[in-house]
Amino acid sequence: MTEQDLAGAPVAAAERVLEQIGRARAAVSTVIFGQEQAVEQALVTLLAGGHGLLVGVPGLAKTKLVETLGRVLGLDERRVQFTPDLLPADILGSEVLEETADKKRVFRFVKGPIFAQLLMADEINRASPRTQSALLQAMQEYHVSVAGERHDLPRPFHVLATQNPLEQEGTYPLPEAQLDRFLLQIDVDYPDRASERRILLETTGDRIVEARKTLSADDLIAAQRLVRQLPVGDKVVDAILDLVRSARPGEGDAEIAPHVSWGPGPRAAQALMLATRARALLSGRLSPSLDDVAALAAPALRHRMALTFAARAQGRTIAELVDRLVARIG
């Protein structure tokens, strides 16, 4: 399949999507300063139709980024602040008993905040495992079950969760099954000096800048459809397979596998395949390259791997192991 043969996506439609994505990225940059990599990876996550886990210390605009993306992409966005006393019904909704006009009593389902196109799960690791698990079915199957009844979620449906890596007292680490459902782990770092200076000047005055809407939900769905139609070369496919399989214990790379207690499964390869296509489209290209694989390897793998006790004792890190794997791409 060549770029000229994009099924259902003629060149004119592809160019329109590229223009829309460029406008969306520019709109986000009017509000979020100095987080180019985080913004790119968040947009890649949404274009690929996945969910993202934003990890960073407080005050780095993680919440603001999610709110801005919802506005720019024209999505119905809702926020849930995760706390230890949060219950699954606070997210999914619940049935209430009502009395009808003819004096009959019936149950009516009241939808929770999860029935949104973009759900921000703020500090997701502060809720109990029981509440965290309320998102599992929704993130994978795009519907929830309450009292034995299935309720479909709106489309598109995305979860962008935030997590503070510093304060761990009173938190509940996400289980591996839930981590695997996040397409990318997006690490949000401190801005550089120039960007922080701009933040000081533009956010402490009397003028509040808000990003404008540039896309609609239907536009995003069309872009996601185009992402899945982009051709991927054999070299890129092989690089993804080599990268993911080398990071597994037992069968993986001889220098890496002994340090890994559990590694990425096929879902990691699927995530990388979609994410590289989305990054190519975000960069104005209609086919991913090896550079896209290298750029997204860490976000796609770091939450899908764990070190052995011996590796931790030796001071090794997941980032170090992934860098060694990425260095072999080419």
Side-chain angles (χ1 to χ4, degrees):
M1 182 179 180
T2 65
E3 293 179 8
Q4 289 77 21
D5 297 327
L6 287 174
V11 174
E15 290 178 347
R16 184 171 62 253
V17 170
L18 291 173
E19 181 185 355
Q20 291 173 335
I21 292 172
R23 291 203 311 267
R25 191 170 189 172
V28 173
S29 68
T30 63
V31 177
I32 306 297
F33 312 131
Q35 298 290 359
E36 287 81 6
Q37 189 175 69
V39 170
E40 176 183 270
Q41 292 175 8
L43 284 170
V44 163
T45 299
L46 297 179
L47 285 173
H51 313 289
L53 179 63
L54 286 80
V55 179
V57 301
L60 296 184
K62 299 187 297 296
T63 300
K64 187 68 173 177
L65 173 58
V66 179
E67 292 175 349
T68 302
L69 287 170
R71 178 185 295 272
V72 169
L73 300 178
L75 301 177
D76 173 27
E77 182 260 334
R78 297 185 187 179
R79 173 183 176 181
V80 176
Q81 184 67 47
F82 278 58
T83 57
D85 60 347
L86 192 73
L87 298 175
D90 297 328
I91 302 173
L92 304 181
S94 58
E95 290 192 321
V96 296
L97 185 63
E98 291 185 336
E99 188 173 289
T100 63
D102 55 357
K103 304 300 182 182
K104 291 183 179 179
R105 292 183 177 181
V106 295
F107 283 100
R108 180 173 65 88
F109 178 64
V110 178
K111 294 180 178 180
I114 199 171
F115 287 87
Q117 293 170 326
L118 178 59
L119 176 69
M120 180 171 67
D122 211 1
E123 295 190 289
I124 188 172
N125 58 329
R126 291 205 170 277
S128 67
R130 177 187 176 193
T131 302
Q132 291 175 6
S133 66
L135 290 176
L136 280 172
Q137 183 183 28
M139 293 173 66
Q140 183 64 29
E141 302 173 21
Y142 299 97
H143 68 262
V144 298
S145 299
V146 178
E149 294 292 328
R150 168 175 169 156
H151 301 275
D152 291 327
L153 295 169
R155 302 304 296 266
F157 172 74
H158 301 280
V159 175
L160 290 181
T162 67
Q163 188 170 296
N164 176 3
L166 297 180
E167 189 179 355
Q168 297 301 315
E169 185 176 349
T171 63
Y172 302 85
L174 295 178
E176 290 78 7
Q178 187 153 12
L179 286 172
D180 197 30
R181 281 165 171 76
F182 286 103
L183 186 90
L184 300 179
Q185 177 183 312
I186 304 166
D187 285 355
V188 185
D189 299 319
Y190 291 108
D192 57 36
R193 182 181 178 88
S195 299
E196 194 161 3
R197 177 183 176 85
R198 186 182 176 192
I199 292 171
L200 289 176
L201 295 175
E202 298 199 23
T203 62
T204 59
D206 60 353
R207 186 172 68 94
I208 299 177
V209 178
E210 291 188 354
R212 59 185 178 83
K213 174 182 174 181
T214 61
L215 274 77
S216 67
D218 289 338
D219 292 331
L220 179 59
I221 291 174
Q224 292 171 346
R225 190 177 300 119
L226 178 61
V227 164
R228 287 181 171 269
Q229 294 172 341
L230 296 185
V232 182
D234 289 340
K235 284 188 176 181
V236 173
V237 175
D238 289 337
I240 291 173
L241 282 171
D242 291 343
L243 187 68
V244 172
R245 294 181 67 84
S246 296
R248 294 172 182 166
E251 63 179 282
D253 185 276
E255 297 181 11
I256 305 296
H259 306 299
V260 180
S261 62
W262 62 273
R267 191 180 278 131
Q270 292 173 319
L272 258 178
M273 179 75 87
L274 287 172
T276 53
R277 286 168 164 164
R279 187 176 188 269
L281 195 63
L282 194 62
S283 303
R285 293 176 280 114
L286 293 179
S287 184
S289 66
L290 293 178
D291 289 339
D292 296 316
V293 179
L296 294 171
L301 297 182
R302 55 191 164 209
H303 59 299
R304 294 183 166 101
M305 299 172 62
L307 297 173
T308 62
F309 177 81
R312 294 197 302 272
Q314 295 170 11
R316 298 188 181 275
T317 64
I318 293 294
E320 171 198 339
L321 299 184
V322 173
D323 286 345
R324 288 169 63 179
L325 292 173
V326 171
R328 302 173 188 178
I329 294 177

